[in-house]
Amino acid sequence: MTDPTPAPTPRRVRVRAPELIGKGGWLNTGDKQYSLADLRGRIVVLDFWTFCCINCLHVLDELRELEEKHRDTVVVVGVHSPKFVHEAEHQAVVDAVERYGVEHPVLDDPELATWKQYAVRAWPTLVVVDPEGYVVAQHAGEGHVHAIERLVTELEAEHEAKGTLRRGDGPYVAPEPEPTALRFPGKALLLPSGNFLVSDTTRHQLVELAEDGESVVRRIGSGARGFADGPAGTASFNEPQGLALLDEGAVVVADTVNHALRRLDLGSGAVTTLAGTGKQWWQGSPTSGPAREVALSSPWDVALFDGRVWIAMAGVHQLWAYDPRDGTVAVAAGTTNEGLVDGPAAEAWFAQPSGLAATPDRLWLADSETSALRWVDLEGVVHTAVGTGLFDFGHRDGGAGQALLQHPLGVTALPDGSVAVSDTYNHALRRYDPVSGEVTTLATDLREPSDAVLVGEDIVVVESARHRLTRLRLPEEAVRVEAVAHRTQRAATEVAPGRLRLDVIFQEPAGQKLDTRYGPSTRLLVSATPPGLLLSGEGAGTDLSRTLELDPAVPEGVLHVSAMAASCDDDPAEEYPACHVHQQDWGVPVVLSESGADRLPLVLAGLDA
C-alpha cells in the first residue's frame, strides 16, 4: 500500500521579484508589453545580458535546450543591460536579438533600471522567479543551466501540486525574416580568384561573392545550426566568423559556436574539421595536444603568423595557435583572466580578442572588451598600442596614449605598415600609425563594421548591421570627428577604505556536492587596477571569502575577481557522476568612502542571506 501523503517540498529562501522595467520596451512579443503579473503561473528565468559579452552569448546557447524542453512552463526573459553606449541604442538591441537567434522575449533596459532593482553585478546573471512571483535563485556567469534545469523540474512539481502552475504557450513571437543576400556577416577574405569569401554568421553559412562584392557565386553550408563535415550543401556551421587562407586551395574557418576550426576546400567546397571537439573549453581542460581532441572556446578570428594559425579565442580571453604541420593546438598567450596586461605571452591578459591581422613581424589584434588595439611580436611579448582597460572607451583621435576606440572587432594591415581598425561600436574605420603613434579616422557612417580587406587601393568593409560589403577608396586625409569619451554605465560601488570583506556566495545546486576528488573544488583570484588599490588580499587561493585591505590614498579603482567552483551529482549509485564547473569574472568599479560598505558580496550561485 502506498502512502498518499506527498513528500515535503524543500524550503527555499524567497524574495519578492521586483517589476520588469525597461525604457526600450519589449522585443520578440509582437509589440505587446509585459509585466511580471502577466507571467504569473510560469517559471520565469531572467537572463541579464549585453550583446558585446562573449559569456552572455555562451549562456544564450546554454539556454536553448532548457527553453525547448520546458516550453509550456518556463518563460526566459532576456533583460538587455548595456555596457557600451552603442548597446543602449534600441536598434542595436533589435539587431543583436536577430543576429544571435534569440528566441524568447527581451526587455530593452538601456538605463539599467531592472539591473539595479535586482542588484545585479555581472554579465551574465540568471535569476529564477517562481510561479508566485518570488526570486528563488541567482547565478552569475556561465555553466549553471544544468542546476537551473533541476530547479525548474522541482518547481514544476511543487507548483503543480499547489495549483499555482500555469501551462501553455509563452509570449514569444518570432519576427519576420528579412530577404537580404547576407545576414549580419562577420568576416571577409579576398580569395586568390579575386572573389570574396564572407562568413554569413546569422545564417550559419559561408558565402562566396563575385569581385563586385554583391553577386552570390555559391553558398557553403546547409544554413541550419549544426556541426557536420561533408559537401558544401550538407556541411553545417554554427555562427562562423574568422577566415584565413591556409594555402592557395584551402581556407581555415573559426566556427565560433561550434568551438571549432574548420577547413574549406576551395575547389570542391568540402568542409572538414581541423581542431576542437564541438564542446566548450572549461578551466581544467587540456590546453594543448592533438587538435581534434582539445576543446576550444568561441574562436572568433584566425590569422597565419610565424608558421602557425593563430586563434583569437574570445571565449577564454586568450590567443591559441594551431600548427598545420603536426595537427596540434595549444595556448599561445593569455592567462584566461580578463583585462589589459602587457608583457610575456604567459603573463598577458586579454579581454575577448576578436580580430587578427598578421605582418611579417607582428600579429595585430582587436581586443574588443578593453576597446584596445594590441600586438604580439615574434618573441611572444604582448604590447598595447591603443586602449586603457575594461571601462574606458569612446571616439577620440590623436596620440595613441589618449585615443579611444569602442569595442573594435576587426584589424587590417595596410601596405605602409599602419593598420586599419574596424571600430565596431563607433560605426567607423580608424587608422593607427606605429611610426607617428597617431590614431585617425578614415571613414564614419558605417554600421557595425566588423572586418575589412584590402583590394588594390580600395578597402572593402564588412558592414555587419547593414548586411553588406562596402567598398571605400583608402583616403589620404583623415575625417574630422568630434571627440567623445565614455565610461561604462554601471555606478561604482562605495566601499570603506581599509578592511573589506569579499564574499563570493556559492551554494551547491540541489542534488550536488563540491567535487573534492582532486583537491580543493573552489578557486578565487583577486587583483586591482591600479594595483596600488590593494595593500593586501591580492592573488590566488581556494577560499571563496577573503579580507582585502584597500589603500585610503587611492580614491577609486576596479577590483578584478575571478571565482570558480566545481560540483558533482551526489548519487551514490552513479559510478561516474556528472560534474559541472561554475565560473565568473567580475570587474567591480569601486569608490572609497568613509560611509561605504565593509563587505562586498558577489553571487556565483544561490542567494546572499
Side-chain angles (χ1 to χ4, degrees):
M1 185 174 176
T2 56
D3 183 352
T5 311
T9 337
R11 290 182 58 83
R12 293 190 193 87
V13 177
R14 301 202 310 170
V15 178
R16 176 63 71 181
E19 189 49 86
L20 303 177
I21 306 162
K23 193 174 181 180
W26 289 76
L27 305 175
N28 278 358
T29 60
D31 295 327
K32 183 174 179 181
Q33 305 299 298
Y34 281 86
S35 68
L36 264 181
D38 298 323
L39 304 176
R40 196 64 51 81
R42 311 300 290 273
I43 300 161
V44 179
V45 179
L46 301 177
D47 175 19
F48 289 86
W49 70 299
T50 189
F51 64 78
C52 72
C53 157
I54 192 66
N55 311 90
C56 300
L57 303 186
H58 290 166
V59 167
L60 285 177
D61 292 314
E62 289 177 5
L63 286 169
R64 295 185 201 278
E65 188 177 341
L66 175 77
E67 292 179 88
E68 184 59 38
K69 187 174 178 181
H70 299 271
R71 192 167 290 282
D72 67 334
T73 58
V74 171
V75 175
V76 175
V77 174
V79 182
H80 189 269
S81 314
K83 172 185 173 180
F84 290 97
V85 167
H86 170 60
E87 293 175 307
E89 294 177 19
H90 182 69
Q91 185 56 47
V93 182
V94 173
D95 288 344
V97 167
E98 182 190 350
R99 180 194 298 269
Y100 296 116
V102 179
E103 294 184 355
H104 52 246
V106 173
L107 176 64
D108 180 11
D109 182 18
E111 297 175 346
L112 303 180
T114 297
W115 165 285
K116 292 169 187 169
Q117 287 292 312
Y118 281 81
V120 174
R121 291 185 183 273
W123 297 280
T125 291
L126 296 169
V127 176
V128 181
V129 180
D130 74 11
E132 294 177 286
Y134 289 91
V135 173
V136 292
Q138 181 172 329
H139 300 267
E142 40 183 311
H144 299 292
V145 171
H146 63 92
I148 291 174
E149 207 274 336
R150 182 168 186 137
L151 174 59
V152 161
T153 302
E154 291 176 2
L155 289 170
E156 285 173 341
E158 176 184 337
H159 289 274
E160 190 94 81
K162 289 174 68 175
T164 49
L165 185 71
R166 179 166 57 90
R167 293 179 181 270
D169 292 335
Y172 171 67
V173 177
E176 287 293 320
E178 297 285 344
T180 53
L182 301 173
R183 205 70 194 158
F184 298 104
K187 305 288 185 183
L189 177 67
L190 184 64
L191 297 174
S193 65
N195 288 353
F196 296 94
L197 188 67
V198 183
S199 53
D200 196 16
T201 305
T202 298
R203 293 212 178 110
H204 316 294
Q205 289 180 318
L206 308 179
V207 178
E208 184 175 341
L209 300 176
E211 293 183 30
D212 62 8
E214 296 179 9
S215 307
V216 175
V217 175
R218 61 175 171 168
R219 294 180 180 273
I220 296 111
S222 66
R225 284 183 192 273
F227 188 22
D229 290 341
T234 58
S236 54
F237 300 94
N238 197 342
E239 298 183 23
Q241 287 280 350
L243 307 164
L245 277 174
L246 264 179
D247 52 52
E248 288 292 299
V251 171
V252 59
V253 182
D255 193 5
T256 304
V257 180
N258 278 329
H259 312 293
L261 296 189
R262 315 292 292 282
R263 179 187 186 275
L264 167 67
D265 185 291
L266 287 172
S268 67
V271 176
T272 51
T273 298
L274 294 176
T277 63
K279 302 295 184 184
Q280 187 183 339
W281 186 93
W282 288 101
Q283 291 286 354
S285 302
T287 55
S288 65
R292 292 291 303 273
E293 299 173 18
V294 177
L296 310 181
S297 183
S298 297
W300 206 275
D301 203 4
V302 281
L304 202 60
F305 176 64
D306 199 23
R308 294 182 293 168
V309 176
W310 285 61
I311 309 163
M313 202 71 80
V316 283
H317 317 298
Q318 289 180 311
L319 301 179
W320 287 43
Y322 165 75
D323 192 331
R325 292 162 297 197
D326 60 8
T328 58
V329 71
V331 173
T335 64
T336 76
N337 294 317
E338 184 180 12
L340 195 154
V341 176
D342 288 340
E347 300 169 15
W349 291 22
F350 301 98
Q352 216 168 298
S354 301
L356 298 174
T359 66
D361 61 349
R362 291 186 182 188
L363 178 72
W364 293 96
L365 68 117
D367 205 27
S368 62
E369 282 293 288
T370 51
S371 297
L373 172 66
R374 306 176 72 186
W375 55 280
V376 184
D377 63 27
L378 289 169
E379 281 70 50
V381 179
V382 179
H383 311 259
T384 296
V386 182
T388 59
L390 285 164
F391 300 100
D392 295 291
F393 57 91
H395 191 149
R396 189 162 63 198
D397 288 333
Q402 53 87 52
L404 293 172
L405 308 169
Q406 185 180 179
H407 196 81
L409 290 179
V411 59
T412 307
L414 300 179
D416 64 356
S418 66
V419 289
V421 179
S422 295
D423 194 4
T424 310
Y425 289 2
N426 280 328
H427 311 300
L429 191 66
R430 311 286 293 284
R431 180 186 179 189
Y432 168 68
D433 183 349
V435 176
S436 67
E438 291 289 307
V439 175
T440 53
T441 298
L442 296 176
T444 57
D445 300 321
L446 301 166
R447 186 68 187 172
E448 292 193 18
S450 53
D451 196 19
V453 293
L454 203 61
V455 184
E457 295 183 353
D458 294 343
I459 192 161
V460 175
V461 180
V462 180
E463 274 198 275
S464 189
R466 283 201 180 109
H467 320 292
R468 70 187 190 193
L469 302 188
T470 298
R471 186 182 292 262
L472 306 170
R473 177 54 53 97
L474 264 178
E476 294 180 8
E477 293 186 9
V479 178
R480 276 196 60 80
V481 176
E482 200 65 40
V484 291
H486 305 287
R487 299 208 86 203
T488 52
Q489 292 197 39
R490 280 186 297 171
T493 300
E494 288 197 7
V495 294
R499 292 166 68 86
L500 176 69
R501 178 72 174 180
L502 171 66
D503 288 326
V504 173
I505 291 95
F506 178 74
Q507 296 157 1
E508 305 97 295
Q512 293 183 28
K513 63 179 181 181
L514 288 174
D515 179 14
T516 55
R517 291 171 300 164
Y518 307 110
S521 58
T522 55
R523 186 189 71 159
L524 180 64
L525 179 68
V526 180
S527 63
T529 305
L533 175 64
L534 277 177
L535 292 173
S536 66
E538 74 282 1
T542 57
D543 193 340
L544 291 181
S545 293
R546 188 181 300 183
T547 299
L548 311 179
E549 185 82 20
L550 305 183
D551 187 347
V554 180
E556 62 179 325
V558 179
L559 290 174
H560 303 281
V561 180
S562 177
M564 184 274 287
S567 61
C568 294
D569 292 346
D570 188 11
D571 183 352
E574 283 288 336
E575 186 179 357
Y576 301 106
C579 295
H580 313 275
V581 175
H582 318 256
Q583 64 183 60
Q584 174 61 20
D585 295 329
W586 292 267
V588 184
V590 295
V591 172
L592 271 58
S593 163
E594 291 297 338
S595 59
D598 61 3
R599 177 176 178 264
L600 177 62
L602 299 174
V603 175
L604 180 60
L607 294 172
D608 180 20

